[in-house]
Amino acid sequence: MKMILDLLVPQLKRFLHGHINMEIKKMIATKSHIKHMVLKDYTSIVYMSNKLNAIAMISFEESTLKKIVNVFMHGDKVKSNEKIIIYDSVAGETMNIILGLSIPSFPNKGRGITTTSPTIIDDILSIENLKNDIICSIDCVTNFGKLSISILEINNKKRHINC
Amino acid sequence: MLKILIVDDSLIIRREIKKFLEALGHVKVYEAFNGKDGLMKYQYAEPDLVTMDITMSGMNGIRTTQAIISEYPNAKILMITSHGQEDMVVDSIKVGASGYILKPITQDSLGKAIGRIFKKYAVNDDDLLDDE
């Protein structure tokens, strides 16, 4: 799983730098017990299955995600009544894009890996079928705030999430 | 000006594509939030072009493309994918998609992809090359 995480990080950096104009100033590799892991303000996950049973997760502080939202909105203002849906959508799409950019660098060029649409979560304990209690993450400090990216191994093809 | 249907379950991507299309001069833009909705809206709008997300929950982009093509064999469908995986793209082309572009999308990449499908909308000669 750490190897997969290592493959996501360069694409995360590339996307943030090239598309968002956001720089990662500091990165820290962490291992957390699931019970102690605290999600940031907006968190998105994408399931990978078939050749790899895992979840890719990205968690943003609001200030970090706000910068990405602004880029996706191309100058349009986010109306207050649609803020959550827009922020959730951008969090999901960011995970989707980073994973999509990374998959070709996975073993066997990622062939045979299928991914789901992104899902937004508020509580990591809502994810069932996790294989390990320990989660490997990279915590990133950017010039707009923090975010973290993680890989969670799951047991088999059967997927459940309580939302 | 083309009449275009955007099929994508991501609100932000629908908005982004719509904005790019309008900037490219295509002001008749319809939106569908999943495959089933896309199929219904296609029947209603009969667009010149569909932009189709590959990964959608429920009826995914490949199945939706297949359903549209089986009813409208001349439909032009541009797949939008975040997966640089040959097999998904090949599956899309096999069921009748006209082309694809990778996310993150830019106005330039979208304009060029449209230019490859509809030569009269090509931005420059390079867009006519079948280089994807």
Side-chain angles (χ1 to χ4, degrees):
Chain A
M1 287 302 114
K2 190 187 171 299
M3 183 192 78
I4 298 296
L5 191 56
D6 288 343
L7 294 172
L8 294 183
V9 170
Q11 297 303 335
L12 171 69
K13 287 169 84 170
R14 195 169 140 197
F15 171 75
L16 292 178
H17 172 78
H19 203 69
I20 310 296
N21 199 20
M22 181 186 288
E23 305 302 331
I24 295 178
K25 296 187 170 298
K26 194 175 169 184
M27 289 197 298
I28 306 160
T30 62
K31 280 185 177 179
S32 314
H33 192 281
I34 187 166
K35 286 183 179 169
H36 300 138
M37 188 159 187
V38 179
L39 299 180
K40 295 180 173 59
D41 303 315
Y42 294 89
T43 302
S44 166
I45 60 172
V46 172
Y47 283 94
M48 293 176 275
S49 57
N50 290 337
K51 296 283 181 189
L52 176 69
N53 290 312
I55 292 170
M57 178 171 83
I58 194 160
S59 192
F60 297 94
E61 281 187 349
E62 181 163 333
S63 58
T64 316
L65 189 57
K66 185 180 178 183
K67 168 64 180 170
I68 304 175
V69 167
N70 288 341
V71 172
F72 273 92
M73 292 294 285
H74 300 277
D76 289 348
K77 283 194 170 178
V78 178
K79 292 175 188 160
S80 58
N81 63 346
E82 56 180 24
K83 180 182 170 187
I84 292 175
I85 190 168
I86 295 278
Y87 275 55
D88 283 349
S89 184
V90 172
E93 208 46 56
T94 303
M95 185 71 262
N96 210 10
I97 289 169
I98 291 162
L99 193 55
L101 292 170
S102 305
I103 282 177
S105 61
F106 285 12
N108 196 27
K109 294 184 176 176
R111 289 198 178 96
I113 296 173
T114 51
T115 58
T116 63
S117 293
T119 304
I120 301 301
I121 60 167
D122 293 322
D123 180 1
I124 196 159
L125 296 175
S126 64
I127 302 170
E128 293 181 357
N129 277 342
L130 287 178
K131 199 167 186 177
N132 300 307
D133 289 338
I134 303 298
I135 296 172
C136 295
S137 304
I138 304 285
D139 290 331
C140 304
V141 180
T142 77
N143 45 338
F144 292 90
K146 292 178 184 172
L147 66 94
S148 66
I149 190 161
S150 314
I151 289 288
L152 297 73
E153 199 171 2
I154 49 177
N155 272 320
N156 51 40
K157 292 175 186 170
K158 200 175 172 187
R159 305 187 304 260
H160 290 293
I161 180 163
N162 296 325
C163 295
Chain B
M1 184 186 71
L2 296 170
K3 189 161 61 169
I4 300 177
L5 170 64
I6 303 166
V7 185
D8 204 305
D9 59 359
S10 167
L11 169 68
I12 198 71
I13 294 297
R14 289 199 306 274
R15 286 202 179 178
E16 190 174 45
I17 293 174
K18 188 176 182 185
K19 199 164 180 89
F20 290 155
L21 289 174
E22 287 173 350
L24 290 165
H26 307 295
V27 291
K28 273 196 170 180
V29 179
Y30 301 82
E31 293 180 48
F33 59 88
N34 61 30
K36 204 175 164 186
D37 189 35
L39 194 53
M40 285 192 322
K41 297 249 170 76
Y42 191 95
Q43 289 160 346
Y44 158 75
E46 295 199 11
D48 304 305
L49 176 70
V50 181
T51 68
M52 178 78 70
D53 185 22
I54 283 191
T55 312
M56 293 185 288
S57 50
M59 195 174 179
N60 71 22
I62 298 172
R63 282 178 53 207
T64 310
T65 298
Q66 200 166 20
I68 291 173
I69 293 286
S70 69
E71 215 170 320
Y72 303 90
N74 295 323
K76 303 289 184 204
I77 302 179
L78 176 66
M79 307 304 290
I80 310 285
T81 177
S82 56
H83 309 278
Q85 291 178 288
E86 291 168 10
D87 23 3
M88 292 199 78
V89 174
V90 169
D91 285 347
S92 307
I93 302 298
K94 273 183 187 167
V95 300
S98 306
Y100 75 99
I101 52 173
L102 293 172
K103 293 180 191 174
I105 306 159
T106 63
Q107 187 176 312
D108 187 50
S109 68
L110 186 59
K112 285 182 172 174
I114 292 171
R116 276 191 284 269
I117 297 171
F118 297 93
K119 291 182 182 176
K120 66 185 266 196
Y121 291 98
V123 180
N124 57 49
D125 289 341
D126 293 344
D127 303 341
L128 302 179
L129 299 174
D130 189 16
D131 60 356
E132 283 204 27

